[in-house]
Amino acid sequence: MKQMMISASVLSADMANLAAMAKELECGGVDMLHFDVMDGVFVPNISFGLPILEAVHRSTDLFLDVHLMIIDPLRYIPQFLAAGADLITFHLESESDPYETIRAIKAGGAQAGVVIKPGTPYEAVLPFMELVDVVLVMTVEPGFGGQSFMWEMLDKVKALRAYAEEKQLDLRIEVDGGINDKTVHAAVSAGADLLVVGSYLFKQPGISAGVQTLKDAASV
Ligand code: DX5
Ligand code: ZN
């Protein structure tokens, strides 16, 4: 397991000031920016897509973590790579072939990850564990920021961490949804080392104070 990293979810940021927000997050010590791309079909919400990613890519050097909540991710991989994605995660519940999608992401030089919704068992991920850089376990139903953490998802994180250790796999386990100062410790203890943080971070008085509070809470 690697040292914990924080990926700040842009979904909760002020969309009118994204370039400034990216700079603030960079200076505030977050490790990555998390982009929730939603198509209104795979999830009941529509967020943003390629032009926003491309604009933020021009305004920051931060690593860009793109979470595709779209029905056919494979079709759009070349565009997301061109727009600056450093990591692309896609849902195993989508309609694209997972092997082909992983191959397309890696062929473009980015990191690849698979995501599972709360209703999907951790076993669904096992065939891909040796092929990906990241496994993302959703800790809320995908679609909206600001939801409550689903504690029972931590059993999946534990099982995947145990499997990764047994096979000595070099991957990160990401959790997404409801991460705050009350939940971060349990997530990291279960084996997560990449934490998506949205609404909690943007409610703090400052980004760096929020990042520090999360890191302190994680290590208690
Ligand atoms: C939900 C998204 C999350 C969301 C997390 O579909 O995948 O990334 O922005 O937001 P919080 O941290 O507010 O739960
Ligand atoms: Zn997300």
Side-chain angles (χ1 to χ4, degrees):
M1 184 164 161
K2 301 172 199 256
Q3 205 181 358
M4 131 185 196
M5 285 181 132
I6 293 179
S7 192
S9 176
V10 168
L11 194 61
S12 299
D14 177 3
M15 292 290 154
N17 293 296
L18 267 187
M21 184 54 73
K23 273 280 160 256
E24 196 183 333
L25 289 163
E26 195 173 332
C27 297
V30 310
D31 302 288
M32 302 181 188
L33 294 186
H34 182 87
F35 284 81
D36 288 307
V37 178
M38 306 180 188
D39 64 358
V41 180
F42 184 75
V43 288
N45 194 10
I46 298 176
S47 55
F48 44 70
L50 293 158
I52 296 286
L53 178 64
E54 199 269 328
V56 174
H57 177 53
R58 271 188 278 117
S59 56
T60 178
D61 293 328
L62 274 174
F63 186 97
L64 304 180
D65 160 24
V66 177
H67 174 193
L68 297 181
M69 285 163 274
I70 64 178
I71 200 78
D72 188 7
L74 178 57
R75 180 172 166 196
Y76 296 98
I77 297 302
Q79 288 97 313
F80 281 102
L81 291 168
D86 294 299
L87 160 66
I88 300 179
T89 60
F90 66 95
H91 277 262
L92 288 180
E93 304 87 356
S94 75
E95 288 176 1
S96 299
D97 178 81
Y99 293 100
E100 272 186 58
T101 309
I102 292 168
R103 210 175 304 129
I105 298 168
K106 295 234 169 197
Q111 295 186 18
V114 287
V115 192
I116 49 171
K117 297 208 278 188
T120 301
Y122 80 89
E123 288 91 341
V125 176
L126 299 183
F128 309 101
M129 291 283 278
E130 298 184 28
L131 304 174
V132 295
D133 304 285
V134 171
V135 169
L136 168 49
V137 175
M138 290 306 298
T139 42
V140 297
E141 283 298 339
F144 300 92
Q147 303 180 74
S148 300
F149 187 73
M150 297 170 75
W151 293 88
E152 60 278 25
M153 295 303 126
L154 293 181
D155 287 343
K156 295 202 264 188
V157 174
K158 284 182 199 152
L160 290 168
R161 178 55 68 195
Y163 184 90
E165 277 181 1
E166 188 197 319
K167 301 263 179 194
Q168 297 189 313
L169 301 176
D170 179 32
L171 53 75
R172 283 193 180 270
I173 299 181
E174 183 172 20
V175 284
D176 183 6
I179 297 293
N180 57 39
D181 57 340
K182 308 285 187 297
T183 57
V184 68
H185 179 72
V188 170
S189 303
D193 52 8
L194 178 52
L195 294 289
V196 178
V197 190
S199 50
Y200 173 80
L201 197 55
F202 291 96
K203 273 192 250 148
Q204 300 310 301
I207 298 295
S208 54
V211 167
Q212 197 52 51
T213 307
L214 283 169
K215 291 199 168 163
D216 291 347
S219 61
V220 172

